[in-house]
Amino acid sequence: MPSSQIDSLHSAALERYRARNPGSLAALERARKVLPGGNTRSSLWNGPFPLCIEGGEGCRIRDVDGHVYVDMLGEFTAGLFGHSSPLLAKALADAHARGINLSSHTPYEVELAERLCARFPSLELVRFTNSGTEANLMALTAARLVTGRPRIVVFEGGYHGGVLTFGHGVSPVNVPFDFACLPYNDHDAAEAEFAANGAQIAAVLIEPMQGAGGCRPADPAFLQSLRDLSREAGAFLIFDEVQTARMSVGGAQARLGITPDMTTVGKFFGGGLAFGAFGGTREIMERFDPARPDALPHAGTFNNNSLTMAAGVCALDNYLGAEALEALFARGEALQQDITRVVKETGLPFVVTGMGSIMNIHPRTGLGAEADRKILQLLHLTLQERGYYIAARGLMALSLAVGDDEISGFLDALAGGLDGLVPDTTFGTPIAKAPVR
Ligand SMILES: Cc1ncc(COP(=O)(O)O)c(C=O)c1O
């Protein structure tokens, strides 16, 4: 495919996008008056302007212009339960009916903590936060204080939250810790860092698969070498399983058979509500026992909020059992294979990487970064016109609500290629219009 053809398809797709989404543009213009760029979550920005989604049901979402999409993004991996789980709705209503903002310990938090500790080999004790970012900040702070060392090993392409971002160098809004940012999956670089600075290293923080970094799985041998290097140096190995916890009932760590000293989780374990948790060995986490004279403080008004706790328990009991997660993993692996087959058969310039139900489609035009950027946007917009919603950066995360029909429909949409578009705004069963707030 020559560059000029990409350019003309790309311009035409942008034109159609603008024409078919006036409501989303109007929503952004209104938001710009009170939110910088109309945005309060940077990752949701995509040019020429993002869609404004007003509601969803099951595995479908609907934008303010009335287009219905199969949601293949699943809230950037946080949305595992579809958009209208009656079980979660009941758990939330029940918790609300019992009273919220209770100003003390409640029966809810222990229920969730027991379930999480039972699942993860590395969690003897756990504490709750309100986001994955906060969970990672607390895990790193604990590692630095418990070891009495300043240095944190992280990896290029890593994402551990808004202030712990290592995608394109070290982000200017990152917390000012002493980071050593090493290439991912590079055993020699890790070994050299430990040889040079081992006595200064408090922790190694790593995603078993880099999510925001493009769904790049870690080499299990690399993770094992980090396990060995950190243990020898007296540093803590921390797995950020905020995304990968869905890879099995015990997360990626159980699947890989590698047990870190600490683990952070978030996203879906709050049943769709704001959530995070960090935990680890009893020895490390007991430092947070507030009755100790040397207790490390960890505050947070909503750490034990009863709605999130109740939703998390409901999610774990009803949706996140071993069988369901194994099936989801297998379904995701099969989808990745099918995408690979379709791009081969059609000659589309893409590759897919990922682990289980979380994957990323990457452009491979061979024509340079600008052509790659345009063809990825073309794919994003083309799939949207055919009724399938993925992230602008190519990320896809299957929720439990996405069924076989939706997956085969997605593969057909992909197999349709990037030209000869047949816009279909009525895909799927239209869902009831949600009230506009
Ligand atoms: C691996 C990983 N860690 C941490 C975070 C941060 O979680 P949150 O957005 O809840 O702060 C994310 C969010 O995408 C993530 O993917």
Side-chain angles (χ1 to χ4, degrees):
M1 177 180 275
S3 222
S4 56
Q5 199 191 349
I6 298 176
D7 287 348
S8 64
L9 284 175
H10 180 253
S11 311
L14 285 181
E15 221 167 284
R16 287 194 307 276
Y17 182 86
R18 288 194 183 92
R20 74 195 283 267
N21 294 301
S24 284
L25 182 57
L28 186 74
E29 276 161 4
R30 177 180 171 189
R32 273 190 210 284
K33 296 189 178 124
V34 282
L35 296 165
N39 178 287
T40 187
R41 183 177 164 197
S42 303
S43 51
L44 295 183
W45 170 256
N46 63 256
F49 53 87
L51 292 182
C52 183
I53 303 293
E54 67 171 12
E57 191 179 305
C59 67
R60 286 178 170 74
I61 51 177
R62 186 194 52 253
D63 68 24
V64 290
D65 290 293
H67 309 122
V68 176
Y69 307 93
V70 174
D71 181 4
M72 302 292 280
L73 178 53
E75 187 59 285
F76 293 75
T77 75
L80 254 184
F81 317 107
H83 302 289
S84 50
S85 152
L87 294 174
L88 283 166
K90 181 172 183 325
L92 286 167
D94 288 351
H96 194 270
R98 285 167 70 178
I100 59 168
N101 305 140
L102 300 170
S103 314
S104 190
H105 289 230
T106 73
Y108 293 106
E109 58 253 32
V110 66
E111 297 273 339
L112 187 54
E114 281 171 355
R115 284 164 174 76
L116 286 180
C117 289
R119 293 166 82 99
F120 287 91
S122 62
L123 289 187
E124 287 182 330
L125 296 174
V126 68
R127 285 185 78 103
F128 298 127
T129 64
N130 295 285
S131 68
T133 305
E134 220 185 313
N136 281 314
L137 285 172
M138 285 310 301
L140 292 181
T141 302
R144 282 157 55 97
L145 290 169
V146 172
T147 61
R149 301 171 177 186
R151 200 163 169 83
I152 306 289
V153 173
V154 290
F155 297 93
E156 291 163 9
Y159 182 79
H160 306 284
V163 292
L164 292 164
T165 302
F166 306 93
H168 307 282
V170 175
S171 158
V173 300
N174 272 0
V175 283
F177 287 172
D178 174 12
F179 290 116
C181 188
L182 310 182
Y184 194 61
N185 278 336
D186 185 335
H187 167 79
D188 293 347
E191 203 170 51
E193 168 63 21
F194 271 92
N197 300 305
Q200 294 298 304
I201 298 173
V204 177
L205 175 62
I206 187 162
E207 295 160 87
M209 175 191 70
Q210 287 193 332
C215 297
R216 292 200 292 160
D219 176 356
F222 176 64
L223 289 177
Q224 185 59 54
S225 75
L226 294 179
R227 175 62 291 179
D228 298 339
L229 287 166
S230 51
R231 185 172 282 135
E232 278 158 29
F236 298 156
L237 179 63
I238 308 173
F239 276 5
D240 176 343
E241 293 235 39
V242 168
Q243 289 202 14
T244 57
R246 62 159 69 188
M247 297 303 165
S248 84
V249 76
Q253 57 194 262
R255 189 166 274 286
L256 292 160
I258 300 172
T259 304
D261 302 292
M262 299 188 80
T263 298
T264 57
V265 294
K267 297 202 187 280
F268 38 87
F269 283 137
L273 277 67
F275 179 70
F278 67 102
T281 62
R282 183 168 290 278
E283 198 185 344
I284 300 169
M285 292 301 293
E286 263 179 348
R287 288 293 305 276
F288 288 97
D289 175 353
R292 283 170 67 128
D294 63 346
L296 299 177
H298 166 229
T301 302
F302 288 107
N303 286 355
N304 69 333
N305 83 83
S306 43
L307 293 181
T308 300
M309 301 290 114
V313 168
C314 172
L316 284 161
D317 287 354
N318 293 289
Y319 291 105
L320 301 175
E323 221 172 284
L325 291 183
E326 285 304 324
L328 184 67
F329 186 90
R331 167 172 282 199
E333 290 285 307
L335 176 56
Q336 289 182 53
Q337 282 168 18
D338 283 336
I339 292 173
T340 301
R341 176 181 54 73
V342 167
V343 298
K344 264 204 191 119
E345 283 169 7
T346 54
L348 287 169
F350 297 103
V351 294
V352 66
T353 61
M355 189 193 271
S357 57
I358 307 178
M359 62 205 77
N360 208 111
I361 298 180
H362 306 268
R364 288 286 184 276
T365 59
L367 299 169
E370 185 54 11
D372 275 359
R373 185 190 68 74
K374 283 186 176 169
I375 204 134
L376 184 59
Q377 189 171 32
L378 190 53
L379 176 73
H380 177 228
L381 299 182
T382 302
L383 288 172
Q384 232 172 58
E385 283 187 276
R386 293 176 184 172
Y388 294 86
Y389 188 79
I390 70 170
R393 65 176 192 244
L395 173 70
M396 296 168 56
L398 293 181
S399 79
L400 293 160
V402 173
D404 291 343
D405 287 352
E406 286 81 21
I407 287 183
S408 65
F410 171 83
L411 290 167
D412 287 348
L414 186 65
L418 296 176
D419 46 9
L421 288 173
V422 184
D424 181 3
T425 58
T426 57
F427 179 88
T429 320
I431 51 179
K433 216 166 163 54
V436 178
R437 279 174 288 271

